[in-house]
Amino acid sequence: MFCVGPEENASTPREHVAGLPDYGWRVPMSYKCDVKCSPFAKPRINQIPQYIGLGLRYTKYWIAKKRQGRRPFIDHLNQMKHKPIYGCPLGGIGSGTIGRGYRGCPLGGIGSGTIGRGYRGEFCRFQMVPGMYHYHVINANQFIVSIRQNGQTVYQKVLSCAQNKRHGRLKEWDWSFPPENGLYHALYPRAWSVFSIPEHQLTLTCRQVSPVLPHDYLMSHHSLTAPSPPTSRGQETASAVCGSQTIKKNSKELFEFSLSWDMPKIQFAAKENTYTRRYAQLFGLNGDAAPQLCSHTLRNYALWEEKIESWQAPVLKSGSLPAWYKSAIFNELYFLSDGGSIWIEATKSCKFSQHPTVKEFGRFAYLEGQEYRMFNTYDVHHYSSFALLMLWPKLQLSLQYDYGDTVTMEDRERVKFLMAGESGIRKVANCVPHDIGDPEDEPWIRINAYNIHPTDDWKDLNIKFVLQVYRDYAATEDTNYLNFMYPKCQILMESAKAWDKDGDGIIDNGGYADQTFDAWVMKGASSYCGGMWLVALQMMVAMANELGRTEEQVEYQAMLDKGKESFERKLWNGKGILLNM
């Protein structure tokens, strides 16, 4: 594969286009991705022996899940194919959609589902049930432009350049819009689709807006007509909206469309509890709020855009940041809405305690990945948590409270771990779990959906919790949060200390994949886990100091000093090698 620097990438904007930002992800609708990707399925010959047992155990597990009518949390036998068709998703932090421009491109909010859009005009990748995806393109979901002069239709085409089978009734539609006349631009949470019709001296621009607003816990979680009767299996329904205007030469006009879905009550696959989506506190629980959602959207989207532009302006106007960074820093936020995210009210049925922050701001969860279906996978949340803390800090604190409640919990349900075949319990006390659960089961009730390795012995999970606690406190100065979390951190550090097998002040890896890089084996002191251990000790020193716990501060400082000396001597010894790995 030929690689170029990010500034030379085909999607980096090269020129100013009226009505579009100068930064973002921009491609012509004729663009074809030449990158060929496929999921891991064929191990190297020398890897096969170590995967035979895993493969057999996984197949047995896969069959058992299928008999239950459920999908495994990682489905290696039905892997996702690479589809380089997607653009900016329709969805933000809530429920509902809006569009502005000639065609209405919907928008929504974080935690209430998403509808995907392709950069060539497709409606694709639907996620209405929390955490569960359907990767199909609905060809009938389209916008059509008709141009009439003197009462006669002189032009009519589907505003899409996507390939389609054109079967059935849809073959009557004109799908021949030239891709070279279309342009797509994404700068999340907004996107633009531009269609040029030179023969009629007309340009159509669609602007897609989602209410993803930093530090906003109302607009960011919300954006049907009375609900229609349920459809039977295989039945299809359809509706259409039409708008028309007379447009004079050298002028412009605006069409506004709003699309909403109202699904205030949800269940996960186990159906043990019913949960209320966060936005329902403003729009009710009856499922008939679609008209209100549409109206609210049309009244407020201009304000949302003002807030989005104010938020993004310091980055976009910075002369010290490269173009690729200005695009990535916003566009990569799409996963907060399109990562199977769910934002619900705190419920008494959950065995976690009810902290004031959780009760006020609700519970938030998102998937590790659409093909790795686990909510709030903690070892990788560690990295994305920075964005959540900076933009919606109360959701980060809520998530942390949920994990804090799990530290001393124990769930003695027996689980077979697929890598080595040993059995253990679902959740061991005095450690951080790997994840908060699988939407194909019952998240928050049965945590630790991951069953490849036992994760109570992972060397980085406990430490990452400690690091996030102090970082979150440093950012929010929430003393109640620190007072609650400090005893949890003490428990986790005490458990982690037992991994220092030779008493040198640094925790040791166990000679197997005992950390987030779960295909990499480390043994003894490692720069990854050992380095984080030292930083966690430094955070414990700082927390003890903040809380006036002098004796504990001295104790953690002594542990830190001892560990630093061993770390330097063992791993940074001037020989240019990493020992014991």
Side-chain angles (χ1 to χ4, degrees):
M1 181 177 69
F2 177 69
C3 296
V4 298
E7 297 297 326
E8 291 74 39
N9 192 281
S11 65
T12 301
R14 293 287 185 271
E15 60 185 15
H16 177 75
V17 176
L20 272 60
D22 290 331
Y23 301 98
W25 189 84
R26 183 186 298 175
V27 292
M29 293 184 183
S30 57
Y31 171 75
K32 293 183 179 179
C33 179
D34 294 325
V35 177
K36 304 298 181 182
C37 297
S38 59
F40 175 76
K42 298 179 181 179
R44 298 186 182 97
I45 294 178
N46 63 344
Q47 293 176 318
I48 291 177
Q50 62 180 303
Y51 287 127
I52 290 177
L54 170 63
L56 293 174
R57 286 185 287 270
Y58 177 82
T59 301
K60 184 178 180 180
Y61 163 77
W62 188 91
I63 292 173
K65 281 291 183 181
K66 288 297 181 181
R67 286 174 175 171
Q68 296 172 3
R70 296 184 182 177
R71 288 177 277 182
F73 72 98
I74 302 177
D75 195 346
H76 283 295
L77 302 185
N78 288 293
Q79 294 181 321
M80 293 172 53
K81 295 181 179 179
H82 180 51
K83 291 184 178 180
I85 66 172
Y86 300 112
C88 187
L90 312 179
I93 306 181
S95 165
T97 57
I98 179 185
R100 182 182 181 188
Y102 178 79
R103 56 173 185 151
C105 295
L107 97 99
I110 292 176
S112 289
T114 53
I115 298 175
R117 291 302 311 275
Y119 67 85
R120 296 168 298 187
E122 308 98 321
F123 281 80
C124 49
R125 195 169 67 193
F126 297 82
Q127 186 250 143
M128 298 288 105
V129 178
M132 309 304 292
Y133 283 81
H134 298 278
Y135 297 91
H136 53 278
V137 174
I138 305 297
N139 288 326
N141 288 1
Q142 297 292 350
F143 294 93
I144 298 176
V145 60
S146 297
I147 302 175
R148 297 174 64 85
Q149 290 180 335
N150 301 322
Q152 299 294 317
T153 299
V154 296
Y155 184 97
Q156 186 178 79
K157 290 187 187 297
V158 177
L159 290 177
S160 173
C161 303
Q163 295 180 351
N164 65 84
K165 297 179 180 179
R166 303 178 188 174
H167 56 76
R169 298 175 182 175
L170 298 188
K171 67 182 180 181
E172 302 298 327
W173 291 1
D174 189 336
W175 296 83
S176 64
F177 189 90
E180 61 273 15
N181 289 352
L183 183 69
Y184 180 83
H185 187 105
L187 188 66
Y188 190 75
R190 298 190 294 172
W192 294 256
S193 298
V194 182
F195 299 86
S196 297
I197 308 176
E199 60 268 41
H200 292 284
Q201 299 180 340
L202 181 66
T203 298
L204 307 175
T205 300
C206 160
R207 182 162 73 256
Q208 168 187 317
V209 187
S210 293
V212 178
L213 312 174
H215 304 283
D216 189 307
Y217 299 90
L218 290 176
M219 292 301 114
S220 290
H221 69 260
H222 61 77
S223 55
L224 357 231
T225 63
S228 61
T231 57
S232 57
R233 183 180 294 273
Q235 180 185 357
E236 294 185 349
T237 60
S239 62
V241 176
C242 180
S244 64
Q245 293 196 56
T246 299
I247 304 177
K248 297 180 180 179
K249 186 177 181 180
N250 298 322
S251 65
K252 61 176 66 175
E253 296 293 343
L254 175 69
F255 292 82
E256 295 174 312
F257 295 94
S258 177
L259 167 65
S260 293
W261 56 89
D262 182 27
M263 302 171 64
K265 296 181 180 181
I266 57 99
Q267 290 182 309
F268 298 111
K271 297 184 178 180
E272 295 178 12
N273 289 298
T274 299
Y275 301 89
T276 300
R277 295 191 196 264
R278 174 78 171 166
Y279 79 93
Q281 66 175 228
L282 293 181
F283 292 95
L285 298 172
N286 295 328
D288 58 0
Q292 289 177 266
L293 286 163
C294 289
S295 177
H296 178 82
T297 295
L298 292 171
R299 289 197 307 268
N300 289 282
Y301 78 86
L303 176 61
W304 299 341
E305 287 202 279
E306 289 180 10
K307 292 184 176 181
I308 291 169
E309 289 172 352
S310 296
W311 158 43
Q312 296 183 339
V315 172
L316 299 182
K317 293 180 179 179
S318 172
S320 62
L321 298 174
W324 68 264
Y325 181 90
K326 294 178 180 181
S327 173
I329 196 68
F330 295 115
N331 279 330
E332 292 305 311
L333 286 175
Y334 84 95
F335 199 75
L336 283 174
S337 59
D338 201 29
S341 59
I342 180 71
W343 191 355
I344 60 174
E345 298 285 14
T347 58
K348 295 181 180 179
S349 59
C350 182
K351 55 188 175 184
F352 297 174
S353 57
Q354 302 292 305
H355 305 283
T357 298
V358 179
K359 292 177 70 174
E360 181 177 358
F361 295 97
R363 288 196 158 93
F364 175 73
Y366 66 110
L367 298 178
E368 175 177 345
Q370 293 173 14
E371 67 274 65
Y372 279 31
R373 202 185 56 245
M374 296 163 281
F375 274 140
N376 294 348
T377 302
Y378 200 75
D379 54 318
V380 291
H381 170 68
H382 180 70
Y383 309 107
S384 59
S385 64
F386 285 89
L388 201 61
L389 177 65
M390 292 176 67
L391 301 177
W392 296 279
K394 297 299 184 181
L395 294 186
Q396 166 63 11
L397 297 189
S398 174
L399 190 156
Q400 282 286 95
Y401 276 119
D402 278 350
Y403 266 94
D405 287 337
T406 70
V407 168
T408 57
M409 284 172 49
E410 184 172 81
D411 186 338
R412 301 195 64 81
E413 178 189 352
R414 301 300 294 179
V415 175
K416 179 179 284 291
F417 299 105
L418 302 179
M419 179 60 74
E422 78 273 33
S423 295
I425 64 175
R426 176 180 284 272
K427 168 63 171 67
V428 176
N430 302 331
C431 67
V432 172
H434 174 272
D435 57 81
I436 219 70
D438 176 2
E440 271 275 64
D441 191 9
E442 198 71 39
W444 286 288
I445 302 299
R446 278 182 294 281
I447 60 178
N448 269 343
Y450 180 87
N451 65 352
I452 306 299
H453 300 274
T455 60
D456 58 287
D457 198 32
W458 276 18
K459 305 304 185 288
D460 53 355
L461 283 176
N462 291 0
I463 297 171
K464 286 178 174 177
F465 183 86
V466 174
L467 299 183
Q468 286 189 51
V469 165
Y470 186 74
R471 183 211 56 199
D472 295 348
Y473 168 71
T476 64
E477 299 182 343
D478 188 332
T479 305
N480 292 329
Y481 173 77
L482 186 62
N483 276 307
F484 177 84
M485 292 298 182
Y486 181 74
K488 309 289 185 181
C489 293
Q490 287 184 294
I491 291 170
L492 295 173
M493 292 297 283
E494 193 64 26
S495 294
K497 190 167 65 174
W499 297 325
D500 180 7
K501 301 301 183 181
D502 56 5
D504 67 345
I506 308 177
I507 61 174
D508 297 296
N509 291 97
Y512 52 94
D514 57 354
Q515 28 68 45
T516 186
F517 303 101
D518 55 0
W520 290 4
V521 173
M522 301 180 185
K523 184 176 182 180
S526 69
S527 59
Y528 171 56
C529 294
M532 282 205 301
W533 165 250
L534 296 180
V535 177
L537 286 172
Q538 181 69 69
M539 299 303 99
M540 294 302 293
V541 171
M543 285 189 276
N545 179 58
E546 290 283 344
L547 297 174
R549 297 178 178 245
T550 306
E551 291 185 6
E552 293 162 7
Q553 180 182 351
V554 171
E555 177 186 353
Y556 287 122
Q557 185 64 56
M559 295 170 63
L560 175 60
D561 292 340
K562 182 180 180 180
K564 286 167 66 176
E565 191 278 329
S566 296
F567 192 73
E568 294 266 355
R569 174 171 47 84
K570 283 192 168 184
L571 299 176
W572 306 104
N573 51 26
K575 296 182 179 180
I577 59 173
L578 187 65
L579 299 181
N580 299 321
M581 190 171 173

